Amino acid sequence: MKVLIVPWGNPFQWEPITYEFEGIKLKNKSSLPLLIEALKPEKIIIIALDTLANFRNRDGKPEIELKNFSEYLDVKEDVKDRIKWFLKKEILENILDPELKQEFSRFINEELKIIVVPGVGIFPNIAVEGEMLDFYYYILYKLARELPVDDLEVYLDLTHGINFMPTLIYRALNNLLGLAAFVRNVRFVVLNSEPFPQGFIGEEKAKVLRETVLHIRKVEDRNIHPKPIYSKVNNEKLTAFIASLANGFPLVFAKFYPKINELESVLDDEFQEFLKNIEVKEKKIKRNKNLSDDFKTISKLFYLIRILNSIFDEFSINIPKDELSARELKSLVGIIFKKIRRLEMFTKRDIDIIKKFVKRATKKEGEIRESLLRGERVKYLEVFNFIKDTTDDVKESVDPRNFIAHSGLAMTLIYVKWSGNDVFLSYDENRLQEIIKYSIESIKIEGRS
């Protein structure tokens, strides 16, 4: 699916000029109609700042009444109204091509999404006070809900972005698309035009605007590779799951796979608390509570689970699960690690080794064999000793390095059983806290990605 994302500063200060992209030229106050014509996007997201609330330029535009705000929701709706006014009055009415005009009108009425994001700064129309990174956490949360879960071509047009907007939106997309890339094909293209000519006045200005063509360039065009999450959260089970994807622990992945409605509930609760603590008094907005690092990480996790749920539906895989067959585990590994060959190869090898040992145990006389043939759960450590015919005691404690090196399938932590010519693996329920601990220890990198 082709998605166009456009951060906008203050559109009411823009002037008409000719933009060119891939051989197509179009004169307008915005690059948006040209990019619709050239790219044929299926979804458009405009990102605007709440600092546009109550804005009017010297010409009295937009022709929308000024308000005395008391609620933040009213601030956001006011900004959306002003953006829609600009789309209809300043862009749509100046498109000459009837087909493009019809397509642009359709986007305005159906497919175009406007996201109003917290800004900072003091302006004649409004003053906004708060942590700048609220913008980043907020846009992560919104994009995690709005981005499609299919194969993606995402175009980020920075032609009209200002201040911190381009950097933080690029950062958010880079992180989210890196998660989609585990199971989807993702292409990321960043666009920017040449600078708008500044400083001219009178006839000279009119001549420059009439004759100048601003070329929109692809400043980045690449296929996105998988990018795991490395941040921890306060919820240990969620952190264990995060570690499972970063390090290749398929049974941890299946055991602690989060339910999307629970993630959504956590995010929505904090988001509503954040909104409730935004103080609005006429021309001043003050955010008294910041969004947390957990909110940032769980927003990314929410998008990852949206993506994974869509792919698992296609393969009819049901997780979370306490117990999986070797076949199911290898199928899972083939889906989530297919683009990280090292993890895929090592993990499948560890699963094959376990299956080989258990299968051999079913052909050897003894109590372990009888238990396996009856389909009973047996500690894998016992099967290992049975096959190796060793009297050496292997300690029940686990070396974290061993846990990581063997795909989280340390022999003292798992039970196996034989059924239908396959081995089924599950964790020792009495040692789940250890398993969580070893998983968490495998991601020592903590950051603000």
Side-chain angles (χ1 to χ4, degrees):
M1 187 173 187
K2 192 176 289 186
V3 181
L4 174 60
I5 298 175
V6 287
W8 278 9
N10 187 344
F12 306 105
Q13 297 175 341
W14 302 342
E15 298 181 76
I17 198 164
T18 301
Y19 291 97
E20 185 276 336
F21 179 64
E22 295 189 339
I24 303 173
K25 293 181 181 180
L26 197 149
K27 187 172 185 177
N28 203 281
K29 287 190 174 184
S30 166
S31 60
L32 185 54
L34 172 63
L35 293 179
I36 289 175
E37 174 73 9
L39 298 175
K40 303 291 190 292
E42 296 159 85
K43 182 168 186 171
I44 298 173
I45 300 172
I46 294 176
I47 300 171
L49 292 169
D50 56 6
T51 53
L52 277 179
N54 263 355
F55 181 85
R56 267 190 189 165
N57 64 18
R58 294 175 182 175
D59 297 330
K61 296 179 179 179
E63 294 157 348
I64 297 174
E65 65 175 314
L66 304 181
K67 305 176 183 72
N68 291 321
F69 300 116
S70 59
E71 300 287 339
Y72 189 64
L73 179 62
D74 296 333
V75 173
K76 293 202 300 180
E77 288 304 312
D78 181 77
V79 174
K80 287 182 182 179
D81 288 344
R82 290 171 196 278
I83 294 294
K84 288 175 185 175
W85 185 95
F86 185 83
L87 288 167
K88 292 175 182 177
K89 298 294 184 181
E90 301 288 8
I91 297 182
L92 182 62
E93 290 187 4
N94 290 294
I95 296 175
L96 301 179
D97 182 275
E99 289 186 10
L100 178 57
K101 192 163 192 167
Q102 183 179 4
E103 180 69 357
F104 195 89
S105 179
R106 184 184 68 82
F107 267 112
I108 293 174
N109 295 319
E110 297 175 17
E111 305 294 335
L112 187 144
K113 178 79 175 181
I114 300 169
I115 300 177
V116 180
V117 188
V120 287
I122 300 172
F123 306 94
N125 55 302
I126 205 157
V128 181
E129 181 182 337
E131 168 62 52
M132 187 182 293
L133 279 178
D134 286 338
F135 175 96
Y136 174 57
Y137 292 5
Y138 193 107
I139 201 62
L140 267 175
Y141 170 75
K142 290 294 186 179
L143 289 176
R145 289 167 172 267
E146 291 295 333
L147 285 173
V149 295
D150 316 287
D151 290 343
L152 284 170
E153 276 186 57
V154 176
Y155 291 81
L156 174 62
D157 177 32
L158 299 179
T159 296
H160 301 301
I162 60 167
N163 299 330
F164 51 85
M165 294 180 79
T167 300
L168 295 179
I169 294 171
Y170 178 91
R171 179 176 164 189
L173 284 170
N174 198 46
N175 282 304
L176 293 173
L177 298 181
L179 295 170
F182 271 91
V183 294
R184 296 298 189 189
N185 296 317
V186 182
R187 181 183 171 207
F188 187 29
V189 183
V190 182
L191 307 172
N192 209 340
S193 80
E194 295 159 351
F196 189 92
Q198 301 282 353
F200 299 96
I201 58 174
E203 287 299 319
E204 186 182 18
K205 177 180 179 179
K207 183 175 184 293
V208 168
L209 294 182
R210 187 172 58 249
E211 296 178 357
T212 299
V213 176
L214 298 182
H215 300 90
I216 297 175
R217 312 289 188 184
K218 290 181 180 178
V219 294
E220 184 173 326
D221 185 352
R222 62 188 170 101
N223 293 322
I224 298 288
H225 300 291
K227 183 179 184 293
I229 301 170
Y230 287 106
S231 305
K232 300 177 184 180
V233 295
N234 288 323
N235 185 308
E236 290 188 332
K237 290 182 179 179
L238 287 183
T239 303
F241 174 78
I242 288 168
S244 75
L245 194 68
N247 292 293
F249 306 151
L251 200 54
V252 174
F253 181 95
K255 175 69 178 175
F256 299 115
Y257 188 88
K259 291 182 171 60
I260 195 162
N261 60 326
E262 293 177 1
L263 295 177
E264 188 171 31
S265 178
V266 170
L267 289 172
D268 288 350
D269 286 350
E270 180 168 348
F271 188 68
Q272 291 305 316
E273 188 65 21
F274 169 76
L275 293 179
K276 277 195 290 186
N277 281 276
I278 298 179
E279 184 182 346
V280 180
K281 290 183 179 178
E282 296 182 355
K283 295 179 68 174
K284 185 174 181 180
I285 300 170
K286 184 179 180 183
R287 299 194 294 274
N288 295 312
K289 188 177 181 68
N290 300 329
L291 294 167
S292 68
D293 281 353
D294 271 17
F295 183 86
K296 168 205 69 176
T297 302
I298 295 174
S299 291
K300 291 188 281 186
L301 191 54
F302 175 80
Y303 184 56
L304 171 65
I305 298 304
R306 280 187 63 216
I307 293 281
L308 292 176
N309 283 352
S310 71
I311 204 84
F312 291 151
D313 284 346
E314 293 176 17
F315 287 89
S316 300
I317 292 177
N318 298 313
I319 48 176
K321 259 188 177 181
D322 295 330
E323 179 181 80
L324 283 89
S325 68
R327 180 188 57 79
E328 288 175 312
L329 277 172
K330 288 180 71 174
S331 175
L332 187 62
V333 168
I335 293 169
I336 60 177
F337 296 125
K338 65 181 179 181
K339 296 183 184 178
I340 308 178
R341 287 288 292 153
R342 177 181 61 84
L343 290 181
E344 182 184 20
M345 291 168 63
F346 288 173
T347 306
K348 284 184 175 179
R349 176 180 176 274
D350 288 328
I351 296 168
D352 283 339
I353 288 172
I354 293 171
K355 182 173 181 178
K356 175 184 173 183
F357 269 76
V358 175
K359 190 172 184 178
R360 282 176 60 193
T362 64
K363 299 176 181 179
K364 184 178 179 180
E365 295 299 326
E367 190 176 324
I368 296 292
R369 172 185 182 272
E370 297 305 317
S371 296
L372 290 171
L373 289 178
R374 287 195 298 268
E376 297 173 0
R377 294 168 74 240
V378 179
K379 183 66 78 68
Y380 179 54
L381 173 62
E382 296 173 10
V383 175
F384 179 82
N385 286 336
F386 178 55
I387 292 298
K388 289 291 188 180
D389 198 21
T390 176
T391 56
D392 295 340
D393 289 331
V394 179
K395 293 180 180 179
E396 284 288 321
S397 61
V398 177
D399 178 357
R401 178 185 174 280
N402 216 28
F403 181 88
I404 297 168
H406 293 288
S407 309
L409 301 173
M411 66 174 64
T412 62
L413 297 177
I414 61 172
Y415 281 96
V416 295
K417 76 176 186 183
W418 187 257
S419 178
N421 202 38
D422 203 355
V423 60
F424 287 74
L425 289 75
S426 58
Y427 277 123
D428 183 344
E429 292 290 326
N430 295 318
R431 302 185 69 181
L432 287 183
Q433 205 53 45
E434 285 180 71
I435 292 159
I436 290 170
K437 175 189 171 186
Y438 300 139
S439 299
I440 293 173
E441 286 182 359
S442 72
I443 51 169
K444 292 293 187 184
I445 300 173
E446 293 185 72
R448 297 170 70 87
S449 62

